[in-house]
């Protein structure tokens, strides 16, 4: 299994100098959650951006890493605003791998429960006997990417 960090709110930390929440160029948030996991996993930082800043080239880079990998299971930590765009893109490229995109509505630094829950649930799901495909894991749900969507008015993901 390979965990790919593409930034997003999950990773954001408060910058005391600027007063802003920023996506840092590191994997500390994911490493913190994964420190309680008994088992081997690989982690790679790929794109350190808010998902609204991601573009087609960033998505192609994610796809290339997945394509070149010898793994067949992937968790992509992603921002929630454009998670569905990346999921759709990856579903058009891959049908022979298990890919779960997850993230958080609040940074791990602010609310470690939601981010930890989402990543832990994605990890458990991908280790189950799941069919190949692209899934989104958010708000206590894991569904094929086209069956779940962010409801911005209530701040949660829900079934379509």
């Amino acid at each position: 299994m390979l965990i790919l960090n593409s930034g997003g709110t999950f990773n954001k930390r408060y910058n005391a100098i600027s007063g802003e929440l920023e996506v840092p160029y590191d994997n500390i948030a994911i490493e913190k959650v994964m420190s309680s996991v008994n088992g081997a996993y690989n982690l790679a930082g790929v794109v350190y951006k808010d998902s609204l800043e991601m573009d087609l080239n960033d998505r192609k880079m994610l796809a290339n890493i997945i394509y070149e990998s010898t793994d067949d299971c992937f968790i992509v930590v992603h921002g929630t605003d454009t998670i569905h765009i990346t999921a759709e893109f990856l579903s058009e490229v891959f049908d022979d791998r298990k890919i779960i995109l997850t993230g958080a509505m609040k940074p791990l630094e602010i609310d470690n429960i939601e981010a930890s829950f989402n990543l832990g649930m994605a990890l458990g799901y991908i280790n189950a006997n799941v069919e190949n495909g692209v899934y989104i894991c958010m708000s206590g749900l894991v569904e094929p990417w086209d069956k779940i969507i962010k409801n911005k008015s209530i701040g949660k993901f829900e079934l379509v």
Side-chain angles (χ1 to χ4, degrees):
M1 177 185 54
L2 176 59
I3 300 172
L4 298 171
N5 184 10
S6 70
T9 299
F10 185 108
N11 292 279
K12 286 184 178 178
R13 286 198 304 266
Y14 178 71
N15 180 325
I17 295 170
S18 69
E20 300 286 327
L21 286 172
E22 299 174 345
V23 177
Y25 287 87
D26 62 41
N27 301 315
I28 290 173
I30 296 170
E31 290 168 347
K32 185 175 181 179
V33 174
M34 296 302 290
S35 68
S36 65
V37 172
N38 292 328
Y41 67 91
N42 294 312
L43 171 61
V46 180
V47 181
Y48 297 105
K49 294 181 176 180
D50 185 281
S51 72
L52 291 171
E53 298 172 359
M54 287 184 73
D55 60 23
L56 181 59
N57 289 329
D58 298 322
R59 291 178 177 91
K60 285 180 179 178
M61 184 174 17
L62 279 169
N64 284 336
I65 291 168
I66 292 169
Y67 180 78
E68 295 291 331
S69 175
T70 57
D71 292 298
D72 63 350
C73 296
F74 301 87
I75 296 176
V76 179
V77 176
H78 198 286
T80 62
D81 286 322
T82 64
I83 197 169
H84 62 287
I85 296 171
T86 300
E88 181 177 14
F89 178 83
L90 293 175
S91 75
E92 292 171 358
V93 176
F94 300 105
D95 62 3
D96 61 341
R97 307 189 188 183
K98 298 169 185 75
I99 303 169
I100 300 181
L101 290 90
T102 192
M105 302 294 281
K106 298 177 206 159
L108 179 83
E109 181 179 78
I110 293 172
D111 178 1
N112 62 15
I113 294 171
E114 182 215 2
S116 298
F117 177 74
N118 289 339
L119 183 53
M121 191 167 169
L123 182 64
Y125 193 83
I126 209 161
N127 282 314
N129 190 15
V130 60
E131 293 182 24
N132 290 339
V134 178
Y135 301 85
I136 293 177
C137 174
M138 289 293 300
S139 304
L141 302 168
V142 183
E143 294 291 335
W145 73 271
D146 58 347
K147 304 291 184 218
I148 184 172
I149 193 153
K150 182 178 180 178
N151 183 333
K152 292 180 183 182
S153 65
I154 62 171
K156 294 190 183 224
F157 280 70
E158 60 188 9
L159 299 176
V160 177

